[in-house]
Amino acid sequence: MTIYIGREASKLWKRICAEITTEINLLFENWKYILAGLIFQYIHGLSARGVHYLHRPGPTLQDAGFFLLPELGQDKGYISETLFTCIFLSFVLWTFHPFICKSKKIYTVLIWCRVLAFLVASQFLRIITFYSTQLPGPNYHCREGSKLARLPRPESVLEVLLINFPRGIVFGCGDLIFSSHMIFTLVFVLTYQKYGTHRFIKHLGWLIAVVQSLLIIASRKHYTVDVVVAWYTVNLVVFFIDKKLPELPDRSSGAASFFLPLSTKDRDIKNKEENHKLMNGNSVDPADRRTQVNGKIVEDANGVHNDANAMNGV
């Protein structure tokens, strides 16, 4: 029993090491996209912090969702955030599952390049919309009479740049249309819908996205329009950007290896195979479809000279 556990642990460690090597190579090739996506996350947070200075509390707008869904109350507002945290952590863990699981369909670095592209495009549109018109926030801390509804004039640029993370993000006001929580949720669900392998989890993901939408409205974090606009905007953004991005290599096929840099050992093996083919008279180039007939080389249909026909006097 001890020997079996030790052997399996050794296999797992080798799998993790091999995966780390592969992902590091991909990271060296795509670090600019990852860095740009992470920097824009800060810009998005900075923009949300900036619009809070412009927010003016007022009467809550008439909203169909507020009329249909009972208010959770300030003491139960954490339910929406708890569900969102579970969605976020579950997706992050899934993107790193190739380091441990044998079934590998995605590369972690490449999948995050796509996710960050979807997030950046959606968040860019969100920044434009909530700076265009500032609505009175429906959240508890954004209503009239709350000390957090308006921010005092900043004393320095550094105060704005630090964005008071994470309190400045959690208790923000004015960044309403459209919901940032729904951007992340829908991008994660759409990504798993395309690259995930379990149908049950795909259906469950869409169900959770609907529940998340209802909880956001019931907790009065957003108006219903914020959630509705997020649903069709994010889906359209992912649809069009996904067509522009190169498709991920399929790890289940051997063709995926052509997308990755070869190690020295793999390059030597490949060179030996090519030399072996040349010694046997086989062409390395797949486009060269020459065959041997009675020791003579016969060109394909595109060839100008045909040795076989020459032998027959043609």
Side-chain angles (χ1 to χ4, degrees), residues 110-307:
L110 298 183
I111 203 73
W112 274 108
C113 286
R114 300 182 81 87
V115 168
L116 288 172
F118 301 149
L119 291 176
V120 168
S122 300
Q123 290 167 339
F124 178 76
L125 296 176
R126 180 175 187 259
I127 293 173
I128 294 176
T129 53
F130 67 60
Y131 267 104
S132 300
T133 303
Q134 289 85 47
L135 303 178
N139 212 336
Y140 310 107
H141 61 271
C142 298
R143 299 174 185 175
E144 289 182 299
S146 173
K147 296 180 179 180
L148 298 175
R150 296 185 63 178
L151 290 178
R153 187 180 183 89
E155 298 179 357
S156 64
V157 177
L158 184 61
E159 180 182 340
V160 179
L161 295 178
L162 291 179
I163 67 177
N164 192 20
F165 184 83
R167 183 178 178 84
I169 303 299
V170 176
F171 293 99
C173 298
D175 57 326
L176 293 175
I177 300 176
F178 42 96
S179 172
S180 178
H181 284 63
M182 290 309 302
I183 290 178
F184 281 91
T185 300
L186 291 173
V187 166
F188 292 165
V189 172
L190 288 167
T191 303
Y192 189 85
Q193 177 70 29
K194 183 173 182 179
Y195 298 105
T197 55
H198 300 285
R199 183 179 300 179
F200 171 75
I201 298 180
K202 295 180 181 180
H203 296 329
L204 180 62
W206 287 111
L207 177 61
I208 292 176
V210 173
V211 174
Q212 176 72 69
S213 303
L214 299 177
L215 286 175
I216 289 175
I217 299 172
S219 60
R220 303 302 188 254
K221 296 181 181 297
H222 281 277
Y223 291 107
T224 305
V225 65
D226 304 339
V227 175
V228 172
V229 171
W231 268 92
Y232 62 74
T233 302
V234 176
N235 277 277
L236 288 174
V237 166
V238 172
F239 175 77
F240 286 108
I241 293 184
D242 190 61
K243 287 182 172 294
K244 299 296 182 179
L245 295 176
E247 189 52 70
L248 293 183
D250 186 6
R251 300 195 66 168
S252 61
S253 64
S257 59
F258 293 105
F259 292 88
L260 300 177
L262 293 176
S263 63
T264 304
K265 181 179 179 180
D266 294 336
R267 194 180 296 111
D268 293 339
I269 294 176
K270 186 176 181 180
N271 291 335
K272 289 180 179 180
E273 292 178 352
E274 292 177 353
N275 293 333
H276 181 70
K277 290 180 180 180
L278 289 173
M279 292 177 64
N280 292 334
N282 295 329
S283 174
V284 178
D285 187 1
D288 190 1
R289 300 186 180 89
R290 294 180 296 177
T291 57
Q292 293 186 5
V293 178
N294 295 329
K296 298 291 182 178
I297 298 178
V298 182
E299 298 287 340
D300 60 4
N302 296 325
V304 178
H305 182 71
N306 192 312
D307 289 340

